[in-house]
Amino acid sequence: MPETAAVSIHPSAIVDPQAQIGPGTTIGPWCHIGPDVSIGEGVRLHANVIVDGHTRLADGVEVYPFVTIGLAPQDLKYAGEPTRCDIGARTVIRENVTIHRGTAQGHGLTKVGAHCLIMANAHVAHDCTIGDGVIIVNNVVMGGHVEIGDGARIMGAAALHQFVRIGRGALVGGVCGVESDVIPYGSVLGNRARLVGLHWIWLRRQGVDPSEIHAMRRAFRILYPRQGGGEGVLDARLTEVKRDFAEVARVQEIVAFMEAPSRRGLVRGARPSSNVLESEGA
């Protein structure tokens, strides 16, 4: 976009003179932009959008009506510290979404990556970190400090407990309560999330080689056997998979995620009787 592109600000909008507004940005009626806000090139705020705090909207972000970004977190420990909120390039935020800035006790930053889609009525809490290309569907809510990896899909009305990690490319089913970590490329369903397989459709759409998908399927069956298995043998299964699939990068990514420190533990596999371990996901 040319650097000389004009900024369009509706007469009813309130934009603090200290705010930084990039060229080509459109600020619609009844928007309110605070003094510490930085807005990049070609951003569009449709109407009735509030952006406050130390908040940055990168180039090409589009925000629909009645969204609030960068307001104070819903945390009783918050005492007005100058924490931040960052929205990545070309992310689209639909109606009534709320995204709160971080806390001093957390990362001090709430971050949404580039090319994300956050649908209507979703809530992104303080200190959450959302990767690139993530889709969050209507009415999703999350507690503070949630981490969502690149390309993950969070379906409608899912609820993510604070400190939960959602791995890259994972799928969380609709109306699903997630109280523990979801492995990369995992697919979870149920009133309380249970791992039902890997997100095969997403992997295929990403162009992952069929031989690697086949290797991931075999590794998954070792990690989460149909016949079940006690928690005490998980370490042995992880060691086996790490050794036998050393050349499969995505399998090693899953193993590293499972071995990393966790505040919430890992989502359990579905019960063997459920017959859904080979679910394709959505």
Side-chain angles (χ1 to χ4, degrees):
M1 177 174 295
E3 293 185 1
T4 56
V7 173
S8 173
I9 300 176
H10 192 275
S12 64
I14 301 174
V15 179
D16 192 283
Q18 296 184 57
Q20 300 177 25
I21 310 298
T25 286
T26 300
I27 299 177
W30 310 112
C31 291
H32 185 188
I33 311 300
D36 299 310
V37 172
S38 174
I39 296 178
E41 294 188 28
V43 171
R44 183 175 184 186
L45 311 181
H46 283 267
N48 296 94
V49 173
I50 298 176
V51 186
D52 202 4
H54 293 265
T55 296
R56 183 183 76 95
L57 306 185
D59 297 348
V61 168
E62 184 172 11
V63 185
Y64 281 75
F66 303 106
V67 168
T68 66
I69 303 173
L71 269 64
Q74 297 175 135
D75 187 326
L76 295 176
K77 300 185 296 298
Y78 182 71
E81 298 90 348
T83 53
R84 297 179 295 133
C85 182
D86 193 302
I87 310 298
R90 287 167 289 283
T91 281
V92 176
I93 303 171
R94 295 303 304 248
E95 298 83 353
N96 298 299
V97 167
T98 53
I99 304 175
H100 291 167
R101 60 182 180 258
T103 64
Q105 293 77 23
H107 306 298
L109 171 67
T110 301
K111 183 175 182 179
V112 177
H115 301 280
C116 294
L117 171 59
I118 304 179
M119 298 188 192
N121 301 302
H123 174 61
V124 179
H126 62 86
D127 302 292
C128 288
T129 301
I130 298 174
D132 297 337
V134 172
I135 296 177
I136 297 175
V137 181
N138 303 62
N139 301 303
V140 168
V141 294
M142 60 190 76
H145 313 275
V146 167
E147 298 178 15
I148 302 177
D150 295 347
R153 304 289 187 260
I154 316 298
M155 296 295 104
L160 312 182
H161 195 285
Q162 62 184 9
F163 293 105
V164 154
R165 297 180 300 148
I166 308 294
R168 182 161 74 110
L171 171 71
V172 174
V175 200
C176 186
V178 183
E179 299 170 312
S180 304
D181 298 345
V182 180
I183 63 172
Y185 317 108
S187 177
V188 298
L189 300 173
N191 177 270
R192 289 295 182 266
R194 288 294 180 264
L195 188 64
V196 298
L198 295 184
H199 194 181
W200 306 116
I201 290 178
W202 186 87
L203 289 164
R204 291 168 184 149
R205 287 174 178 171
Q206 295 300 306
V208 177
D209 188 270
S211 64
E212 184 171 1
I213 291 178
H214 181 65
M216 295 175 69
R217 188 185 298 271
R218 289 189 287 117
F220 181 82
R221 287 173 174 168
I222 294 171
L223 292 170
Y224 296 94
R226 285 180 180 271
Q227 66 270 24
E231 293 181 4
V233 298
L234 178 59
D235 285 346
R237 299 199 299 270
L238 281 167
T239 299
E240 178 184 353
V241 167
K242 186 187 296 187
R243 179 193 66 228
D244 294 348
F245 298 87
E247 304 303 319
V248 185
R250 286 181 175 82
V251 172
Q252 295 303 311
E253 181 183 353
I254 292 171
V255 171
F257 183 96
M258 295 176 72
E259 292 182 333
S262 171
R263 296 281 293 266
R264 300 296 306 169
L266 296 168
V267 167
R268 296 176 180 268
R271 294 177 181 175
S273 60
S274 66
N275 295 320
V276 291
L277 284 176
E278 296 302 319
S279 170
E280 289 285 336

